[in-house]
């Protein structure tokens, strides 16, 4: 190990810690040019190469960039939208709302978009991100300001996206995908930090809407393609790895630059995707409840699988580093560059989903995160039970009925798919969020409870 490994946990969560994930944290610490430490958030669990919940920064000249440090679902992320509705307004129409949302947003593995997108459009999507959708009337300028990076990263290289990746991407803009991805109607049950809640425009009892998805088949293909190239280039750069899944290349090498350009293209595609999904959902709420489009206000959109060039303090000197966040959320504090002006005094909103049966949280970034974790925090509760074990232990139909009894309507293509996403397969979100709050990596603003969930 070139640097120490460090994770943020509590006694309770330590029981969920997998040996394999700790080994991965150590493996990351062996990579060339890693700065200061290999980090993991309390949602740490085993992933491809890097642990999920992993954060690592690399020196721009000595360091590497690695797809394993980003994940296959490039720019998987979450956005949170508030509505002017209360639970009472939903009451008898909750079932109808969930059905209408399920119809409006294509879900499932091979879900196809209703948008007709040409190959040229796709190139524009990969460069412009969410702006591409807003320019076509699928959102407002105000939405863009409330996305991390205004819904796009600079440096896209559509030529680094293969024909196969494009083919997968063309029909999928505005689709949710399957598995862990979801749409969720929630209620803000508890406001913990009234000042921040006011700034973020969220109040107790308010109905909210959350979107979790990423770059679909396009991002997966970009990761797959570049992993192969990077593995092949390892001898050329004399990089020896404890695990081939850590395949990487110097940031400023032809292979490293190509991966970065492809990754940014996929990240921008993901922002477009979440923007289009939000637009479709807004139309459903407007239609059903007679509210205005603008009353569905985007609080923020965060990326939780991405590598970014950022300036951070390294031994007292502001230095550009390549921060990998793999199942980790940026948590920039008050006054940091990149935080929307309207939130500058508070820090950026941080959105942490829990599960279909437990609370999700809205937090804000802190200066402690800037000092300790490259401005990062956790991204969710984190999985504890594998998909195959979950299928053996949980019955989808029973789960759906139990949640319905608690007032949570779950809609999916099949009950079987639900088992893999049961609340019990995730760590308790309350405890994970308590850890990042106590460690000062992000502060709780509000707690949200699920009312209705759509799973891909
Ligand atoms: P990932 O991006 O790692 O697949 O998932 C992020 C987090 O989303 C998970 O760690 C889990 O805590 C949360 N999550 C998964 N399914 C749901 C759901 O249906 N509703 C909510 N609110 N959170 C979920
Ligand atoms: Mn994803
Ligand atoms: Mn995700």
């Amino acid at each position: 190990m070139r640097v120490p490994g460090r994770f943020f946990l509590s006694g309770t969560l330590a029981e969920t810690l997998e040996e394999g994930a700790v080994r991965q944290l150590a493996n990351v610490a062996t990579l060339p040019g890693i700065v200061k430490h290999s980090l993991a958030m309390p949602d740490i669990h085993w992933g491809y190469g890097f642990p999920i919940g992993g954060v690592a920064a690399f020196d721009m000249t000595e360091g590497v960039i690695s797809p394993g440090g980003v994940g296959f679902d490039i720019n998987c992320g979450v956005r949170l939208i508030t509505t002017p509705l209360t639970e009472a307004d939903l009451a008898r129409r909750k079932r109808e709302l969930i059905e209408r949302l399920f119809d409006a947003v294509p879900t499932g593995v091979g879900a196809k978009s209703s948008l007709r997108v040409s190959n040229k459009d796709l190139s524009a999507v990969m460069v412009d991100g969410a702006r591409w959708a807003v320019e076509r009337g699928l959102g407002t300028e105000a939405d863009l300001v409330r996305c991390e990076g205004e819904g796009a990263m600079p440096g896209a290289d559509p030529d680094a996206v293969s024909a196969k990746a494009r083919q997968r991407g063309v029909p999928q803009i505005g689709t949710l995908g399957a598995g862990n991805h979801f749409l969720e109607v929630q209620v803000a049950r508890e406001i913990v930090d009234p000042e921040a809640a006011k700034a973020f425009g969220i109040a107790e009892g308010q109905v909210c809407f959350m979107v979790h998805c990423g770059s679909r088949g396009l991002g997966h293909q970009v990761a797959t393609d570049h992993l192969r190239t990077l593995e092949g280039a390892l001898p050329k750069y004399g990089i020896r790895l404890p695990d081939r899944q850590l395949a990487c290349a110097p940031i400023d090498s032809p292979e490293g630059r190509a991966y970065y350009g492809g990754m940014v293209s996929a990240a921008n595609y993901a922002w477009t995707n979440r923007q289009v999904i939000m637009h479709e959902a807004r139309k459903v709420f407007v239609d059903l409840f007679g509210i205005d489009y603008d009353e569905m206000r985007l609080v923020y959109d965060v990326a939780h699988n991405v590598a970014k060039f950022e300036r951070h303090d390294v031994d007292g000197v502001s230095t550009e580093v390549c921060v990998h966040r793999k199942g980790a959320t940026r948590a920039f504090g008050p006054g940091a560059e990149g935080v929307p002006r309207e939130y500058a005094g508070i820090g950026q909103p941080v959105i942490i989903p829990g599960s279909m049966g437990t609370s999700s949280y809205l937090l804000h970034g802190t200066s402690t995160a800037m000092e300790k974790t490259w401005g990062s925090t956790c991204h969710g509760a984190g999985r504890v039970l594998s998909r195959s074990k979950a299928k053996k232990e949980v019955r989808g139909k029973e789960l759906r009925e139990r949640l319905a009894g608690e007032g949570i309507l779950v809609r999916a293509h099949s009950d079987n798919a639900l088992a893999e996403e049961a609340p019990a397969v995730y760590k308790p979100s309350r405890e994970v969020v308590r850890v990042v709050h106590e460690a000062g990596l992000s502060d709780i603003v509000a707690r949200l409870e699920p009312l209705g969930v759509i799973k891909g």
Side-chain angles (χ1 to χ4, degrees):
M1 285 166 73
R2 294 171 197 256
V3 293
R6 194 160 279 156
F7 43 79
F8 293 83
L9 281 176
S10 62
T12 331
L13 289 176
E15 288 167 23
T16 67
L17 191 58
E18 305 155 304
E19 203 185 310
V22 178
R23 181 161 303 280
Q24 291 186 317
L25 182 72
N27 288 345
V28 172
T30 70
L31 293 176
I34 184 165
V35 184
K36 260 165 118 174
H37 35 220
S38 168
L39 297 168
M41 302 299 125
D43 48 347
I44 179 174
H45 56 112
W46 188 92
Y48 183 93
F50 286 53
I52 293 164
V55 178
F58 294 85
D59 183 271
M60 293 298 287
T61 39
E62 311 278 303
V64 292
I65 186 163
S66 172
V70 170
F72 280 92
D73 192 4
I74 296 166
N75 188 9
C76 192
V78 197
R79 59 171 60 191
L80 178 68
I81 300 116
T82 55
T83 79
L85 306 168
T86 63
E87 254 183 301
D89 295 326
L90 295 195
R92 285 167 298 113
R93 306 175 82 180
K94 197 156 80 178
R95 168 72 61 194
E96 193 183 355
L97 172 63
I98 297 301
E99 288 304 322
R100 292 273 296 269
L101 288 168
F102 187 78
D103 291 341
V105 180
T107 55
V109 185
K112 288 222 166 68
S113 162
S114 54
L115 288 182
R116 295 257 172 277
V117 176
S118 68
N119 227 327
K120 204 171 135 212
D121 290 330
L122 186 66
S123 299
V125 163
M126 293 191 286
V127 172
D128 296 339
R131 175 167 295 285
W132 181 88
V134 167
E135 280 173 357
R136 275 152 194 80
L138 311 172
T140 65
E141 283 289 327
D143 296 338
L144 297 177
V145 183
R146 299 189 187 121
C147 291
E148 183 172 320
E150 307 203 349
M153 277 170 73
D157 178 7
D159 290 337
V161 177
S162 69
K164 193 169 174 193
R166 283 177 168 273
Q167 214 173 33
R168 293 179 71 178
V170 160
Q172 292 187 328
I173 299 178
T175 68
L176 187 67
N180 48 339
H181 301 130
F182 64 85
L183 305 177
E184 195 165 282
V185 179
Q186 306 170 332
V187 59
R189 189 62 80 200
E190 191 186 347
I191 300 295
V192 177
D193 179 342
E195 189 198 342
K198 190 157 180 266
F200 292 169
I202 191 167
E204 192 182 318
Q206 195 171 20
V207 169
C208 298
F209 183 66
M210 191 176 274
V211 179
H212 173 225
C213 71
S215 49
R216 308 285 288 109
L218 182 137
H220 198 281
Q221 192 63 44
V222 166
T224 307
D225 293 340
H226 285 272
L227 269 169
R228 198 168 310 138
T229 321
L230 292 168
E231 274 186 27
L234 289 170
K236 180 170 152 190
Y237 297 111
I239 300 174
R240 299 185 42 177
L241 300 172
D243 175 1
R244 277 187 84 75
Q245 292 186 355
L246 296 169
C248 56
I251 296 165
D252 195 14
S253 65
E255 295 83 0
R257 282 194 300 270
Y259 170 65
Y260 181 75
M263 180 208 69
V264 171
S265 305
N268 292 343
Y269 177 97
W271 270 304
T272 314
N273 193 27
R274 290 195 290 275
Q275 181 68 35
V276 173
I277 289 175
M278 175 175 74
H279 173 73
E280 292 302 329
R282 273 175 169 162
K283 286 200 301 187
V284 169
F285 277 90
V286 165
D287 207 40
L288 206 54
F289 299 103
I291 61 173
D292 287 343
Y293 188 90
D294 291 335
E295 287 183 291
M296 296 275 294
R297 180 181 175 278
L298 178 61
V299 175
Y300 206 56
D301 176 301
V302 295
H304 58 221
N305 278 0
V306 80
K308 288 182 150 183
F309 303 152
E310 295 172 354
R311 294 201 81 81
H312 287 277
D313 181 287
V314 180
D315 302 327
V317 184
S318 166
T319 311
E320 189 176 40
V321 287
C322 179
V323 182
H324 291 60
R325 295 191 184 93
K326 199 258 188 89
T329 312
R330 203 186 69 173
F332 281 6
E337 200 185 324
V339 177
R341 197 176 308 149
E342 59 187 323
Y343 303 150
I346 305 285
Q348 72 161 90
V350 167
I351 306 163
I352 308 299
S355 78
M356 59 170 84
T358 54
S359 297
S360 297
Y361 292 82
L362 175 64
L363 302 89
H364 70 77
T366 62
S367 50
T368 305
M370 304 309 280
E371 287 157 25
K372 289 193 177 164
T373 55
W374 312 112
S376 314
T377 189
C378 63
H379 88 303
R383 192 169 270 278
V384 273
L385 209 59
S386 71
R387 292 185 174 278
S388 50
K389 274 204 190 124
K391 265 195 255 183
K392 279 185 208 134
E393 291 181 19
V394 186
R395 299 201 29 170
K397 183 164 175 284
E398 276 167 29
L399 172 66
R400 184 166 51 71
E401 288 167 357
R402 180 174 67 76
L403 289 172
E406 293 173 25
I408 305 166
L409 302 182
V410 182
R411 183 68 163 91
H413 281 289
S414 77
D415 282 340
N416 274 348
L418 287 183
E420 299 175 27
E421 290 298 321
V425 312
Y426 293 107
K427 303 184 198 185
S429 58
R430 181 182 290 273
E431 182 64 6
V432 171
V433 165
R434 189 183 71 81
V435 170
V436 294
H437 180 88
E438 300 272 310
L441 305 183
S442 39
D443 289 348
I444 304 173
V445 176
R447 184 173 66 81
L448 305 142
E449 286 179 358
L451 300 175
V453 190
I454 286 140
K455 278 280 182 177

